[in-house]
Amino acid sequence: MKKFLSVSLLFLLSCVAVQAQTKSSGTGKPSFEDSKEWLDVKFVAYHCDINKSKGIKKVLTEEGITIDGGEVFEESIKWGDVKNFIIDKKMGKIRVIGDNVRKDKKKGENTKQTDLDLYLCKDTPYDEMQKMVKALQHAATLKGAKLVKDDMF
């Protein structure tokens, strides 16, 4: 009887553990919404009020990433245009590689660019930046981005 109870208890605990690991997408991996919520929290936690990022908001949407510079500018990249993410620890930013548009709100001009910078605090731990890149890569691939493989050679 003790063996039966032990086996039953182990089975029940393993079912609970498996259920806890399964995310809302049903695949065991975070959904886009899960990734977005996690990144939103991290962007707030590692936001610094320095000249380069003062008043700037990082917005993740179903369409892509937008950097809102208030009345001055807006940069945006569609998920499908994202090619890669690069960490620049020295500058405290994650660079998003891909064709995007920078809109100068004062002049009303649009400029095409090949990258977009997500500024963080310079003292943001490197491992946290790596986690953010991993989450951004996951979100981008869920939304159709064809990322460049880092292990080509």
Side-chain angles (χ1 to χ4, degrees):
M1 185 69 172
K2 286 182 182 179
K3 286 183 181 181
F4 176 74
L5 288 174
S6 297
V7 171
S8 297
L9 182 61
L10 284 173
F11 177 74
L12 180 63
L13 289 175
S14 66
C15 289
V16 171
V18 168
Q19 187 177 15
Q21 290 177 1
T22 304
K23 303 291 183 191
S24 59
S25 64
T27 62
K29 293 185 178 184
S31 67
F32 173 78
E33 193 59 37
D34 293 334
S35 297
K36 178 190 175 319
E37 287 176 21
W38 186 86
L39 283 162
D40 287 343
V41 169
K42 292 296 182 176
F43 287 150
V44 170
Y46 293 108
H47 178 79
C48 285
D49 284 333
I50 57 172
N51 289 340
K52 289 204 178 233
S53 66
K54 193 169 189 163
I56 296 176
K57 297 176 187 159
K58 301 165 197 74
V59 182
L60 301 178
T61 66
E62 294 285 329
E63 291 77 36
I65 303 170
T66 299
I67 306 297
D68 185 356
E71 297 176 7
V72 181
F73 74 93
E74 181 178 285
E75 291 182 58
S76 60
I77 186 168
K78 295 179 181 175
W79 289 117
D81 293 333
V82 173
K83 300 297 178 210
N84 204 356
F85 298 92
I86 299 172
I87 296 172
D88 185 342
K89 176 64 177 146
K90 184 177 178 184
M91 295 301 293
K93 66 183 176 183
I94 296 171
R95 178 164 281 167
V96 183
I97 307 298
D99 294 333
N100 65 81
V101 176
R102 180 184 174 99
K103 181 179 183 179
D104 185 325
K105 292 182 179 179
K106 290 185 178 183
K107 295 179 183 177
E109 298 174 353
N110 291 340
T111 307
K112 291 185 179 188
Q113 300 183 142
T114 57
D115 60 10
L116 177 139
D117 293 330
L118 302 172
Y119 281 94
L120 305 165
C121 288
K122 286 188 178 182
D123 63 350
T124 302
Y126 186 73
D127 64 324
E128 285 295 312
M129 293 175 89
Q130 288 177 312
K131 290 176 189 175
M132 285 185 252
V133 165
K134 189 173 178 181
L136 284 163
Q137 289 171 332
H138 179 69
T141 55
L142 286 175
K143 292 299 180 180
K146 304 272 190 265
L147 300 178
V148 174
K149 301 277 187 214
D150 284 337
D151 60 351
M152 290 274 299
F153 300 101

